[in-house]
Each structure stands twice: as structure tokens, then as C-alpha cells.
Amino acid sequence: MTAGWARGHGLSIVPTTAAAALADPALHRALADGVEYGYAGPLPDLPADATWFLVREGRADVGVAVLQRDVPRAGTAALLALAIAPDHRGRATATKAILVIERRLAREGVTRLIARVPRTNGRGLYFLLRVGYTPIDPADAPASSDDVTWFARGGRG
């Protein structure tokens, strides 16, 4: 079994590959729902240097997180995706996962975590607002051709 990158709140965040995460139909569905609930098209491309993680609860893979470090500047990490499999939603798993990720990144010296949500994902937009993130100025976000909103915890900017 792969060693965990971070643990807490009953979850383990475990390194994986894009291929492994996408091979799990429930995680693929979770990522598709992250574009828009019920989305059936191709998933958006994520940067080649992004790091993929499984979100595990016990021995079950219940979600996936994708991070990119030092974007748009050193000391900032970008959460490109945090998706929980449909059968595991409704139990604050994503909230717990983002807290565990934030804590681990802080130990690594990351001073800011920003997160993106496609504007077609109303649940994702609401989730980030609910956990204390607010939209940031697009000038402070990575360049993107996607129609996304970027968020950070706390105040604007």
C-alpha cells in the first residue's frame, strides 16, 4: 500500500497517478461532476506537472485531489480539483480533505492555497464559499483559458 502524504480527520491523502485515479469509474464520475453535475464530455486537461492524490477513508478510495505547486508564484499551491465519489458525498469528506491538505502544505512552507472551480459547477462554488474561501482577483490567479473562478481562504486578493 502506498504511504500517505497527509492524514487527519479519518482520511489519508495518498499520492497516485492520473491514470490510476481515472481508471476508477467512481473517481472519474466525481471529476466529471466537478465540471458540471452529470457532465458526460471529456475531462479538461490538467497540467503535466500537477500532483494527483487519492482521498482515502479507511481502505476505500473515496475521492481525488489534484495540486500544482508554485502557481502562480512561489509559495502558492493551486488546488485544481477536489472531487468526492458519489457514494461518499454528504459526510463532510471534501471539507475534511481540504483541511488536511491545507495543514500539510503549510508544513511544507506553502503560504497560500488557491482553488479553482468551473463556473458550471454550482455545488463546487458553494462548497468553497461554505468552507471559508472567497473569490480572488483574476490577476492573482494562474492564467487559464477555462471558464473558472479562483478562490482563496480569507479576504479578497
Side-chain angles (χ1 to χ4, degrees), residues 26-34 37-38 57 62 82-94 123:
L27 298 182
H28 191 278
R29 173 78 266 143
L31 287 164
D33 284 349
Y37 188 73
E57 192 170 42
V62 299
L82 176 59
I84 304 301
D87 290 348
H88 298 277
R89 293 177 185 157
R91 298 191 310 245
T93 305
R123 291 177 182 189

Side-chain angles (χ1 to χ4, degrees), residues 56-71:
R56 284 196 177 140
E57 192 170 42
R59 295 182 183 257
D61 295 337
V62 299
V64 62
V66 183
L67 287 171
Q68 189 177 26
R69 288 176 173 81
D70 296 324
V71 174

Side-chain angles (χ1 to χ4, degrees), residues 112 114-115 134-142 149-153 155-157:
R112 188 174 197 211
I114 60 175
T134 56
I136 63 173
D137 186 322
D140 292 332
T149 299
W150 285 93
F151 292 82
R153 185 176 295 285
R156 298 182 68 85

